[in-house]
Amino acid sequence: MPSNFGDHEQKPEDPLGNEMRQDSEKTVGRNPHPDFAKVQASRPDWRQEDSWHFTKTVDPDWKLGHGANDGGKSLEKRHVEIDPYEDGRPAVFNYKLLISAIIPRPIGFVSTTSEDGKSTNLAPFSYTQVINHDPPLFIIGFAGGFSNAKDTLANLTATKECTINIISESFIEAANATSINAPYGTSEWALSGLTPAPCRDVKCSRVKESVFSVEAKLFSTQEFESRATPEKKTGVLAIVEGVRFWAREDALNDDRNLIDPAILRPISRLGGIMYGRTIEGCELPRPDYDEKQKNGEAEGLIKEKVDGQ
């Protein structure tokens, strides 16, 4: 059996570090429901029959210069300014604010293996994004510094490799299960019931249930320091380079350059404990400047930039 399979996928982490992260999760308080099971039971069933489809844009007749499509309603609302470092404002407030405002966020479902190959880790990260295509580069953000590195970060820096897997509706519960605050030495693969699949260029497994996966090598890391508490390390940014892609055949076009969202059915992260699904889209071609000038739509709108624009 390939070396990236096995029955010993566990987290050989520092017990104290794991305990600190469990306490931190309680402090953050992402779950607003004292009895989530009761809240869940009161909600409608998941609409599995909902399929991917296109709609028109909000205003198909929109023209250059029209501004927002809400008739000016957004201009009637008042904004408040927030100083992220104001006295008495806990750093966790910034975290909760940002994850509820910067949405939807793609989830990097990251698989890694320890340097000795005896243990593995599987965990979701919503501080994930593709930032370049040549070379294919991705970022993964980790909370905490190197001194209290999560298993994924520790494995990534030691082995210089990982896989990034895209989460689909068909395994949202299983993917979420890997974020459990289980004791060190516990296998996320076993708890989730997901299936490890072999890779070609990295030793760690990809998630076989995932429609799209990326084998990646570490490009660089950057550690961040708290502004509120100088010298306290609060995060690490990892840039990884995609060296091989895996795509499910039924989701891929003939040119092997497009993934069908109707097959991918991706899951995104929202604020708190919320996830989002993408089953609806609209299309908007990029406007052509010469064409807009020629048809008169830009008439009276071509002005030099000034302060405030």
Side-chain angles (χ1 to χ4, degrees), residues 13-18 20-21 142-151 153-154 157 221-225 231-236:
E13 59 190 273
D14 171 25
L16 178 59
N18 185 64
M20 289 171 62
R21 286 192 288 275
F142 299 90
F146 285 118
S147 63
N148 186 31
K150 291 184 177 181
D151 304 325
L153 178 57
T157 53
T221 58
Q222 175 68 54
E223 189 174 45
F224 302 115
E225 187 172 290
E231 299 186 4
K232 178 183 179 181
K233 306 303 181 183
T234 55
V236 173

Side-chain angles (χ1 to χ4, degrees), residues 295-307:
N295 67 18
E297 188 177 332
E299 186 175 352
L301 298 173
I302 308 303
K303 302 176 182 180
E304 292 185 1
K305 289 185 177 181
V306 296
D307 290 345

Side-chain angles (χ1 to χ4, degrees), residues 134-203:
D134 185 17
L137 295 177
F138 306 81
I139 54 172
I140 308 170
F142 299 90
F146 285 118
S147 63
N148 186 31
K150 291 184 177 181
D151 304 325
T152 300
L153 178 57
N155 290 343
L156 178 59
T157 53
T159 65
K160 307 293 191 289
E161 60 183 40
C162 69
T163 69
I164 299 176
N165 307 271
I166 300 302
I167 298 174
S168 294
E169 294 178 5
S170 58
F171 61 98
I172 176 177
E173 299 91 351
N176 181 68
T178 66
S179 64
I180 191 171
N181 56 345
Y184 68 98
T186 303
S187 166
E188 293 91 3
W189 289 98
L191 288 172
S192 67
L194 293 172
T195 310
C199 292
R200 183 178 296 274
D201 298 316
V202 301
K203 293 180 180 178

Side-chain angles (χ1 to χ4, degrees), residues 18-290:
N18 185 64
E19 183 176 321
M20 289 171 62
R21 286 192 288 275
Q22 291 185 33
D23 290 342
S24 175
E25 179 62 25
K26 293 176 182 177
T27 301
V28 171
R30 268 180 279 251
N31 182 3
H33 310 296
D35 188 349
F36 177 72
K38 182 178 180 180
V39 173
Q40 173 93 308
S42 70
R43 293 173 173 168
D45 290 338
W46 181 279
R47 292 180 58 86
Q48 189 63 42
E49 67 274 16
D50 289 347
S51 59
W52 166 263
H53 61 279
F54 285 104
T55 69
K56 298 175 182 178
T57 60
V58 178
D59 182 5
D61 297 322
W62 189 94
K63 303 295 183 185
L64 291 180
H66 279 191
N69 60 29
D70 64 355
K73 291 181 180 180
S74 57
L75 299 178
E76 300 171 1
K77 304 299 181 180
R78 176 176 171 267
H79 287 76
V80 297
E81 59 179 291
I82 301 170
D83 179 354
Y85 308 118
E86 67 184 2
D87 290 342
R89 181 178 177 84
V92 71
F93 278 25
N94 294 331
Y95 169 76
K96 297 177 80 168
L97 174 68
L98 293 174
I99 66 167
S100 66
I102 312 302
I103 60 173
R105 299 187 308 282
I107 307 170
F109 199 25
V110 181
S111 167
T112 56
T113 302
S114 63
E115 191 170 18
D116 61 10
K118 294 182 178 180
S119 64
T120 67
N121 187 258
L122 182 63
F125 294 88
S126 69
Y127 288 175
T128 304
Q129 186 56 273
V130 56
I131 59 170
N132 198 55
H133 65 278
D134 185 17
L137 295 177
F138 306 81
I139 54 172
I140 308 170
F142 299 90
F146 285 118
S147 63
N148 186 31
K150 291 184 177 181
D151 304 325
T152 300
L153 178 57
N155 290 343
L156 178 59
T157 53
T159 65
K160 307 293 191 289
E161 60 183 40
C162 69
T163 69
I164 299 176
N165 307 271
I166 300 302
I167 298 174
S168 294
E169 294 178 5
S170 58
F171 61 98
I172 176 177
E173 299 91 351
N176 181 68
T178 66
S179 64
I180 191 171
N181 56 345
Y184 68 98
T186 303
S187 166
E188 293 91 3
W189 289 98
L191 288 172
S192 67
L194 293 172
T195 310
C199 292
R200 183 178 296 274
D201 298 316
V202 301
K203 293 180 180 178
C204 46
S205 302
R206 56 188 171 89
V207 177
K208 192 171 184 179
E209 288 83 354
S210 184
V211 173
F212 186 73
S213 300
V214 178
E215 296 185 30
K217 302 275 190 174
L218 183 62
F219 185 85
S220 66
T221 58
Q222 175 68 54
E223 189 174 45
F224 302 115
E225 187 172 290
S226 169
R227 301 284 194 212
T229 311
E231 299 186 4
K232 178 183 179 181
K233 306 303 181 183
T234 55
V236 173
L237 171 72
I239 302 178
V240 299
E241 178 180 349
V243 296
R244 191 169 299 276
F245 308 135
W246 293 82
R248 217 171 75 182
E249 282 186 321
D250 62 333
L252 196 62
N253 67 345
D254 291 340
D255 289 334
R256 303 203 300 176
N257 63 8
L258 288 175
I259 296 292
D260 185 351
I263 303 297
L264 183 61
R265 298 180 74 94
I267 290 294
S268 60
R269 203 68 164 90
L270 308 178
I273 61 173
M274 291 185 288
Y275 290 86
R277 63 192 303 209
T278 303
I279 57 173
E280 185 175 282
C282 61
E283 294 183 311
L284 277 170
R286 289 191 179 188
D288 180 80
Y289 181 79
D290 291 337

